[in-house]
Amino acid sequence: MSFRLYHEMNKMKKGNILMENVIFIILIIVFISILFVFVTRQGSNQSVLEKQLAKQIALVIDEAEPGTQVQIRVEDEFNKYPGGKIQVDNNVVNVNFGSGAGYSYGYFNKVNVESNILDLNSDGFKGRYLTLIIK
Amino acid sequence: MINKIGGDRLLAIYWFIMFVIVIIGLVSGVSIFFSKPLDIREAEGNILADKLTNCFINKGIYLSSFMDRFDSEGLEAVCGLVLEDKTGYYENGNEQYYIEFKIGDKIASSNDAVKSKLHGLCEQEDLRKNIPICVNRNFFVLKDDKFEKVEILVIVDKVKQNAL
C-alpha cells in the first residue's frame, strides 16, 4: 500500500466517524426537543387548564367576603384559547376553552358573584384579567 | 476492523434501548402526573371550618344564639353557605359536604342522612384512596365566662372531581 492510498483511507475513515457523531447529536437534539414539547403541552393542555382555573376560582370565591373584588390574571390562557368562556353562576364555576361543555366546579359560599373578563392597563394590572366582584 | 464495526453497532443498539427506556419513563411519568386531578378538598375543608368558626364566634366569645338559630333555621341559612353541589357531576349533590359541630354536650350536624355514609371513613384516611377528606378543629371559646371546648368536623366528599 502506497503512502498516498493509506492517507486517503484514513481521511475517509475520519470523515465517517465525524458524520456518525453529527447524526447522533442531531438525533439526540430532536429527541430532547420532542420530549420538551410533549411535557410543556401536557402541562398546558385544554383540559388541565380548565380544571385548574375552575378550582382556583371556586376556592377564591369560597374564601372571599362580600364586598371583595378579585382579579385573576388569565392572559396566557386566553392567548392560547381566544374563544374561552368563564361563567360564575348559581354556585358553579364553569370554564370552557373548547367546543364542549367545559369543566364545572362548585363553591359553597352563599354570595352573588359578578364576573367579567377585562383588559386592564393600570398600575400593577396589565393584561387580561378575570374580575370577580363578590356581593 | 470487523470487530470494531460490530462493537459500534452494539453500542448504537445499547444507546437506542437506553433512549427508548428513558422516553417511556418520561412519557408515562408525565401522563400519570397530569391525568391525576388536582385535589383541593383539604383547602375547601379548611375554608369551610374557618367560615363556621367565624359564624359562631365573635372576638373569641361564643354567640349564645348560634345553637338556637342552628336548630331553627339550619346551618346553611345561619352561616351563609350552600352545601349542595350543583355541577351535575353527582347524583346526590347535597351529600358532598358534612359538618359536625360540638360544644360542651351539644352536638349539631349539617345533614344527618350523610352522617353514617361519610363519618366512618375518617378513620380510614391514612389509606387516602378515593375517600372523602376530613378536617378536624379543636379549640376553646369563652361561653358564659367559662372556657368551653369546641370540636368541628368537616368532611368533603367530591371524590369524582378530586381523587379519581
Side-chain angles (χ1 to χ4, degrees):
Chain A
M1 197 187 293
S2 69
F3 175 73
R4 199 176 158 187
L5 186 61
Y6 175 77
H7 187 66
E8 285 296 316
M9 274 179 72
N10 225 3
K11 261 172 79 178
M12 272 174 67
K13 199 177 146 194
K14 276 181 184 169
N16 275 346
I17 291 169
L18 185 71
M19 200 59 189
E20 278 171 19
N21 280 331
V22 168
I23 292 170
F24 192 67
I25 289 166
I26 290 170
L27 273 176
I28 289 175
I29 292 168
V30 169
F31 264 119
I32 290 171
S33 310
I34 291 170
L35 271 177
F36 183 75
V37 170
F38 171 77
V39 171
T40 38
R41 280 200 172 183
Q42 280 289 309
S44 63
N45 76 25
Q46 186 192 314
S47 147
V48 172
L49 278 182
E50 280 177 349
K51 286 177 188 172
Q52 195 181 317
L53 198 56
K55 287 180 178 180
Q56 186 186 2
I57 296 167
L59 280 182
V60 165
I61 297 171
D62 279 337
E63 184 76 72
E65 292 291 326
T68 315
Q69 187 171 327
V70 183
Q71 255 118 15
I72 300 170
R73 193 178 156 89
V74 287
E75 176 88 8
D76 297 338
E77 290 85 348
F78 274 80
N79 280 344
K80 203 163 185 190
Y81 304 104
K85 282 179 191 161
I86 298 173
Q87 285 180 315
V88 183
D89 188 35
N90 195 25
N91 281 85
V92 175
V93 179
N94 180 270
V95 179
N96 191 349
F97 287 134
S99 53
Y103 184 80
S104 298
Y105 201 84
Y107 58 90
F108 52 74
N109 202 1
K110 196 177 184 180
V111 285
N112 288 319
V113 183
E114 195 184 304
S115 66
N116 292 301
I117 305 288
L118 300 172
D119 286 310
L120 300 179
N121 195 5
S122 59
D123 297 336
F125 297 103
K126 207 170 186 182
R128 191 164 284 187
Y129 281 84
L130 167 72
T131 305
L132 300 170
I133 301 166
I134 320 283
K135 295 172 183 170
Chain B
M1 187 78 171
I2 293 167
N3 268 347
K4 194 180 181 309
I5 292 169
D8 282 350
R9 280 191 185 153
L10 202 66
L11 199 67
I13 292 168
Y14 168 75
W15 264 103
F16 182 72
I17 291 169
M18 286 292 283
F19 259 129
V20 170
I21 290 169
V22 169
I23 286 167
I24 290 172
L26 268 171
V27 168
S28 49
V30 170
S31 305
I32 289 168
F33 179 78
F34 283 109
S35 64
K36 276 194 175 177
L38 192 66
D39 195 346
I40 60 162
R41 289 176 298 166
E42 198 153 350
E44 270 189 281
N46 279 311
I47 296 171
L48 199 47
D50 286 344
K51 291 256 167 209
L52 186 66
T53 309
N54 291 334
C55 185
F56 68 87
I57 294 176
N58 186 21
K59 292 173 185 168
I61 299 168
Y62 176 73
L63 297 172
S64 51
S65 61
F66 175 75
M67 254 333 188
D68 297 333
R69 287 185 68 203
F70 191 114
D71 291 338
S72 60
E73 296 169 42
L75 180 70
E76 293 179 70
V78 177
C79 297
L81 302 169
V82 178
L83 299 175
E84 185 186 352
D85 190 282
K86 295 173 183 172
T87 53
Y89 284 98
Y90 308 97
E91 281 176 27
N92 43 358
N94 58 346
E95 294 180 6
Q96 300 308 310
Y97 298 101
Y98 174 75
I99 296 172
E100 196 175 278
F101 172 82
K102 194 175 170 186
I103 179 160
D105 54 350
K106 285 183 181 174
I107 301 176
S109 63
S110 62
N111 189 345
D112 284 329
V114 195
K115 191 174 181 175
S116 55
K117 185 189 153 200
L118 297 180
H119 209 285
L121 295 170
C122 287
E123 286 81 50
Q124 299 171 29
E125 205 168 4
D126 51 328
L127 296 171
R128 282 269 177 180
K129 213 174 177 187
N130 305 338
I131 58 167
I133 291 282
C134 303
V135 174
N136 283 293
R137 290 272 171 91
N138 297 309
F139 52 91
F140 286 88
V141 288
L142 264 178
K143 186 188 174 194
D144 305 326
D145 293 329
K146 276 186 204 166
F147 281 108
E148 196 90 51
K149 193 181 179 189
V150 174
E151 288 173 46
I152 294 174
L153 170 68
V154 175
I155 305 178
V156 185
D157 195 350
K158 291 189 170 183
V159 168
K160 210 185 268 181
Q161 285 181 292
N162 289 283
L164 292 178

